[in-house]
Amino acid sequence: MHDDPEEDEPSPGSENPWQSVDPGGNGWLIFACVHPGSGHLFFSSDMGSSLYRSTDRGETWEPIANPVTGTPSYIAGDPGEAATLYMSQVGASPRSSGIWKSSDNGNTWQHLFQSEAFGKSSSQSGLVDPFRPQVLYWTMADRGVWRSTDGGISWNDISHGLPRERLEYCEIHSHGLELDHNTPPAARTLYYPTNLGLYRFREVEGTWELAGGLPVGVCTQVIACDRGVLYAAFPGQGLYKSEDGGQTWQQLTNGLRGFAPLHIAATKSQPQVLYVATTRDRGVYRSVDGGGSFHLITQRRFTQGHNWPMNYRQHEAVSGMFMLIDPHDPLTVYLDYNKKTHDGGRTWQHYGTKHVGNDRWTGTGLSLLTEYRAVFDPHQPGRVWLGFSDTGLMLTEDGGVSIVNVYSSHRSEVNHVAHLRDQLVFSSSSCVSIAVDPDLTTTIYASINGKNADCRAAIGGALIKSVNGGQNWFPIHEKHGLADGIIRDIVIAPDSPLDERTVYVASYGNGVYQSNDDGRSFNRVTPAELFAGNTRLMCLKIAPSDPNTLYLGVGGSEGIRPLSAGQQGYPALAAGQYGGVYKTSDRGVTWQKQNSRRELPSIVDLAVHPTDPQTVYAAAWEERFLVPGDSPHPEWREGGIFKTTDGGNTWNKVFSPPNDELKGCGSVEGICLNPLAPEIIYTAVRHHGVFRSFDGGKTWAQVGQGSMDRRQKRFHSICLDPHAPYTVWLAHFGASFSKGIDPEAKALLEQKYGQANLVRNPGFEELERSGSPLHWQVHQPPASSGRAPVFSISTERARSGKRCAHFHLSQAYIGLPTTIPAFREQQRLEQAGKVERDPSWQKVMAELGGQSTSTWLSQKLDPYFTSLMRGRDVLLEMDVYLLQRNLPGFWERWYDMCEVPRLPPQVYLTEVRDFNVHWPVAETSLEDLEEECSLSAEGMLGQWLHCQATGRVSEGARWTQVTITGIGPYAGVTDLYVDNVRLTLA
C-alpha cells in the first residue's frame, strides 16, 4: 500500500500551521520556566527566536514565539493570574527589545517597555509579587536588578549594594531572583544568588547585602517556601536551609554522599519535599523530611534495570542543566529538556520525545535541535534524510511522523572515523550535507564533523557512506585523499556509471574534491590560487540539465554555521579575499570566478535552473567587514538574491531582504527552485519567514506568515519535496524542521500537469551540449570507426517540431559487444577467468553470428509525476516512421526491456515497487497496428504511424520510467524515427 504522508497535512497558510518534523527535545535552552499560578511550561531554544508552551504538563507543546521577532530571555508568570505572562526579549531590532506582556497565556503580546538593557542572558530571571501584581523585579543584562511598580511600564534600578562589576554567571539557568512571600508586601525581602554569594534585599532599607550565616562563593539557586523555610545551593560548599526566614542557616548533608548541589526544587506549600540536582551530573536526590535525609531517585549513568529511560541518542546520563517543579504538585518534576516524573522520581519518562517502536521516535512539539538540511529519496515518498547539528544524521521513513538516529543506531561503525577526528560523535556531531544516489537510492553519502567552529577555524570532518540504505556505514577521510574539513555539500553526477560514480564534495577551508571511483579515492580539483586565500566554501550545485557544469558558492566574513562568528572567531580575511560564485563547465577540470564584474562577497546558497544551466540564483548575506564604508562600490555590501541568465557574467539583484522597524533587517539564509515550474522560487529570510516568487524573482510575497510568525525565524536551508513539490521543508537551525503545503503552488502544479504530457522533452527538441536529448538517457553500442552512432537526433524527418529520434542500425554494428548489462558482465567475468565459459551461451552466440546489438532510450519520470499517477489509469503514445525493419526470427524476453514480449520499435511504462524490479504498466508497438489495423510490414513503411496503449499505475509504485526500444538484440539493419512520446492521465 502506498501511504502518502503529504495528503492530509495542513498548509502553511495564515490559518493552518506549519508542521514540526523532529524526534523531539534534546537541545540546549536559553531558559525554562514554570508559571507559578497555572503550572504551564515555557521553554526557549538556545538558538533564539523561539518559544514553546505546554499546558498539559509537558505531554504536548506548541510554538508561541512573539511575531515581533526577538529572543526571549525569560518569562515570569503572575502567581494570581494564570494567563498573565511577562517576557524580556532581545529584539531583532532595538525597537522590539524590552519587556512584553501577554494576558492570554502567550497567544498575543503587548510591548510595555522598550529597552535594550534586558539583554540576552542564560541566567536572566524575573518575578511578579504574588500580592502586588503591579510590582515586578528583573535582573538586567548588566547584572543588576530593576523594579517596576506599574506593571512593567516603567522601571527603576534597585541595584544599590550589588558589586555588579564583579558579578559573573557561572552556570546556565542559575542565579534566579527569589521573593520571600512570607515577608509583608510593604517590606519585601528578595534574594539574589550570585557567584559571590547569596545577596539579600530588604525594601525598607533599599540596599543589597550578603545574607548572613552562609558561605561566600558561588550560589546557584535559592527557594523561599511557606512558614519561613528557605533553601540555598552552593556547589562549592553544600546545601543550606533556614527555618526562620533567613535569620539562621544549617547545612544539609545526610544522604547526599558528599555530592554538591547545583539546582534545587520544592513547592512553596510543601517544603518538606525537596529535590537536589547535583553537579557534574551525579544524579538527582529527593528528601521527604525537609532535607533531614536524601535518597537517589535517578542514577549517574544509564543502567538498564533502573528507572531512567534511554532516548534516541543512546548515551543518556542524568543532567541537571535545569530542574522545575509543578507549583501545585510536589511529585511532578521536570529535569533538563526531556525527562519528567509524576511520582516523585520513582519512575521517569520522556516529555520532549516519544518512543514509537523499532528505534523510531517522534516529537511532542518541543523542537530544540539544531539542523542543517533535508534530502529526499527520489524513489520512496516519505523517506527523508535529515542533517542535524546536535544528533548528526537522522532518517524518517514516513514523511516526518517518526525518526531514527542513524549515527546512534550504528555508532560503532561511525565512531571509527570519529576517533580519527577528535571523537566527533562522542556526544554531539554535525551532519551538514547529504547526497542520495539518484538511481540506486540505497547509496547515501553524508558528512560528519564537529560543530563548534568558533574554537578552531579548521574543525575536523569527513564523509561516511552507506550502500545498503543506511544499515551500515564506512568512513572516507584523509587516507582516501579527502582533506580534513567540514563537508558543506556533496554532489553525485547523475550520468556517471553506477559502479564508478563521480562524486564531488565542497570541503570548507580546503576546496572541491572529486572522486571518479564511487568515493574510493578523491583528488582536489580546485587550485589554491583560485580563491585568493578565501576557502570558506558554502555550497556546491550541479546543473540538472548539464552534468558538466557545477557552481560553487564561497562565503565572506559572516554566514551560516560554521561561518557565523564573523571576524571574531576566524582568521580575518584581507581586502580582495571576497567570496563569490565559481564555475566549472568541464566536470571540474577548470574553474573560474563568475562574478568578476561585481563582487558577491558572502554567498550562502545557490540554485540552478532545472533546464537552463546558464540561469543561477545566488543567496548572499550582507558583507560588513570586507567592504569598507568608504568603498566605491557600496552595493557590494548588500545581501539578497542575485540572478544570472548568462552563466555568471552578469548578475541582477531580484530580492532585497525586508528591513522592518520591529523585525529588523532580514538575511537570506536559503533558496530553492521548483523543479517542474522553475519560475516558482522560495527563500527563507531570517527574522521574517518564507518568501515566494511566481515569476522568476520579479515579485515576491510571504508564504504562511500567520503561522510562521509563531515559530523560530532563523534558518539554515529551504527545499521542496520532489514527490510533492508544493511541500516546503525548512531547517530552522535551533528549532528543528518545519514542513507545510503551499496551496497556491499546489493548485498551479495541478493545473499545469493535470492534463499535461508527463514525459519531459517528448519531441526531442531540447538538447544537451553533447547533442543528446535532454532528460533522456541513451543506451547504445559504441560507434564504429567512421560510422554514425546507432541513435541520433534527426532534423530531416519530424512528425512535429524540428527534431525527432533516429534509430539506424547499419551492417557495421553487427558483432559489436552487447549493451545489455547482464550479458556484458558475463563476458567480462569469462574474459577475466573468474567464471567458466558457458557452452550453451557460446552456442547461441555462434548461431547468431555473434551479434547482440540493442539501442534504447529511457527517462525516469519526475517523482511528482509518479505521485500523480499512483492508483490511476494512464495513456501511453508515440509516433513512428519506418524505413526499414529487420527482426530476428525468434521470440525475445530481455531483463533490460522489462521482459516484455514485444519487438521494437516499442514504448512502455514500467513501475518499480521494491528492489529496483521493473513491472510493466503499459506498452505499445507496431505489433498493435499489425493486429488491430491489419497493416503488413510493407504497408507500414514510409509513413508516420501512431501507437497507443492504456495501463494503471499501482498504489505501491515507488518510481516510474518510460523506455523506447528502437533496436532490439540481434536485429538486422533497421532505420526508423520516433516522435511525440506522450504519457497522460487517462
Side-chain angles (χ1 to χ4, degrees), residues 288-622:
V288 295
D289 55 8
S293 61
F294 288 89
H295 67 278
L296 183 67
I297 59 173
T298 62
Q299 78 294 324
R300 183 181 176 189
R301 290 289 181 262
F302 178 77
T303 304
Q304 184 67 39
H306 206 41
N307 62 348
W308 194 254
M310 181 182 288
N311 70 1
Y312 51 83
R313 298 180 79 167
Q314 296 193 6
H315 63 279
E316 191 74 353
V318 178
S319 173
M321 185 169 66
F322 72 82
M323 184 166 59
L324 302 175
I325 191 169
D326 189 304
H328 311 296
D329 179 11
L331 299 182
T332 294
V333 176
Y334 307 94
L335 192 65
D336 238 357
Y337 40 67
N338 62 1
K339 296 292 192 303
K340 68 174 182 176
T341 179
H342 294 303
D343 54 17
R346 186 174 61 86
T347 61
W348 293 86
Q349 58 186 279
H350 301 291
Y351 67 81
T353 183
K354 287 185 178 180
H355 187 218
V356 293
N358 296 325
D359 295 326
R360 268 66 179 172
W361 300 80
T362 186
T364 60
L366 184 61
S367 302
L368 302 175
L369 292 176
T370 305
E371 50 291 314
Y372 286 105
R373 67 184 62 205
V375 175
F376 300 84
D377 187 316
H379 291 174
Q380 301 184 60
R383 187 176 177 88
V384 190
W385 296 91
L386 305 172
F388 287 84
S389 172
D390 297 293
T391 52
L393 180 62
M394 306 189 83
L395 170 67
T396 176
E397 298 173 309
D398 48 24
V401 177
S402 63
I403 294 176
V404 60
N405 188 341
V406 177
Y407 282 177
S408 63
S409 295
H410 307 284
R411 181 171 297 279
S412 60
E413 297 172 15
V414 181
N415 261 352
H416 174 59
V417 67
H419 282 290
L420 292 174
R421 289 308 323 151
D422 301 332
Q423 296 184 334
L424 298 174
V425 198
F426 176 69
S427 62
S428 292
S429 65
S430 288
C431 179
V432 179
S433 53
I434 309 163
V436 178
D437 191 289
D439 294 310
L440 295 177
T441 63
T442 50
T443 296
I444 306 102
Y445 288 87
S447 63
I448 176 175
N449 53 262
K451 65 178 185 177
N452 294 320
D454 56 349
C455 59
R456 56 186 272 224
I459 197 164
L463 282 179
I464 55 174
K465 178 185 177 183
S466 174
V467 295
N468 58 2
Q471 293 300 309
N472 304 92
W473 298 84
F474 62 86
I476 303 170
H477 44 94
E478 287 95 333
K479 73 176 184 179
H480 304 93
L482 187 62
D484 176 29
I486 294 175
I487 305 301
R488 291 289 308 182
D489 240 333
I490 309 168
V491 173
I492 301 174
D495 63 336
S496 54
L498 284 176
D499 55 348
E500 297 289 337
R501 281 297 202 199
T502 297
V503 183
Y504 305 89
V505 298
S507 178
Y508 180 83
N510 299 298
V512 176
Y513 289 76
Q514 182 185 51
S515 170
N516 293 314
D517 55 9
D518 209 18
R520 291 186 289 274
S521 64
F522 279 87
N523 293 291
R524 191 173 67 180
V525 293
T526 49
E529 60 271 16
L530 175 69
F531 304 112
N534 180 359
T535 53
R536 297 177 176 181
L537 278 60
M538 300 298 285
C539 51
L540 180 67
K541 309 297 178 185
I542 194 168
S545 60
D546 183 6
N548 297 307
T549 300
L550 291 90
Y551 289 90
L552 172 68
V554 178
S557 54
E558 282 197 283
I560 299 172
R561 191 191 249 183
L563 194 60
S564 60
Q567 301 292 78
Q568 293 78 24
Y570 295 86
L573 293 175
Q577 290 183 327
Y578 300 113
V581 180
Y582 296 78
K583 175 184 177 182
T584 177
S585 299
D586 51 17
R587 295 178 179 264
V589 177
T590 60
W591 295 78
Q592 61 181 356
K593 190 172 182 177
Q594 291 302 115
N595 55 301
S596 57
R597 297 186 181 181
R598 68 146 296 160
E599 291 294 345
L600 301 172
S602 194
I603 299 297
V604 294
D605 201 5
L606 296 170
V608 186
H609 195 282
T611 60
D612 180 8
Q614 299 294 96
T615 297
V616 184
Y617 295 84
W621 272 43
E622 176 187 10

Side-chain angles (χ1 to χ4, degrees), residues 866-885:
T866 300
S867 298
L868 288 177
M869 292 188 294
R870 286 192 187 95
R872 302 183 65 176
D873 293 333
V874 293
L875 175 64
L876 182 65
E877 305 169 88
M878 73 170 176
D879 292 332
V880 178
Y881 191 98
L882 194 60
L883 288 177
Q884 191 172 6
R885 186 190 190 203

Side-chain angles (χ1 to χ4, degrees), residues 210-271:
L210 283 172
L214 290 170
V216 176
V218 175
C219 180
T220 52
Q221 195 170 359
V222 62
I223 299 174
C225 302
D226 291 350
R227 300 181 296 279
V229 175
L230 290 95
Y231 296 99
F234 290 78
Q237 289 81 19
L239 177 65
Y240 290 81
K241 177 182 180 181
S242 173
E243 296 182 285
D244 53 12
Q247 298 302 312
T248 61
W249 297 83
Q250 59 176 323
Q251 187 173 6
L252 306 177
T253 59
N254 187 22
L256 290 178
R257 299 164 57 192
F259 295 148
L262 178 63
H263 290 123
I264 50 180
T267 63
K268 296 189 180 304
S269 61
Q270 300 187 52

Side-chain angles (χ1 to χ4, degrees), residues 33 99 110 121 165 206 240 289 310 323 353 494 520 610-611 630 650 664 755 794 799 827 897 911 980:
C33 62
I99 298 295
Q110 175 189 2
S121 169
E165 69 281 356
Y240 290 81
D289 55 8
M310 181 182 288
M323 184 166 59
T353 183
R520 291 186 289 274
T611 60
D630 58 353
T650 58
Q755 302 298 322
S794 174
R799 182 70 176 88
Q827 292 174 338
M897 296 181 181
E911 64 178 40
N980 300 331

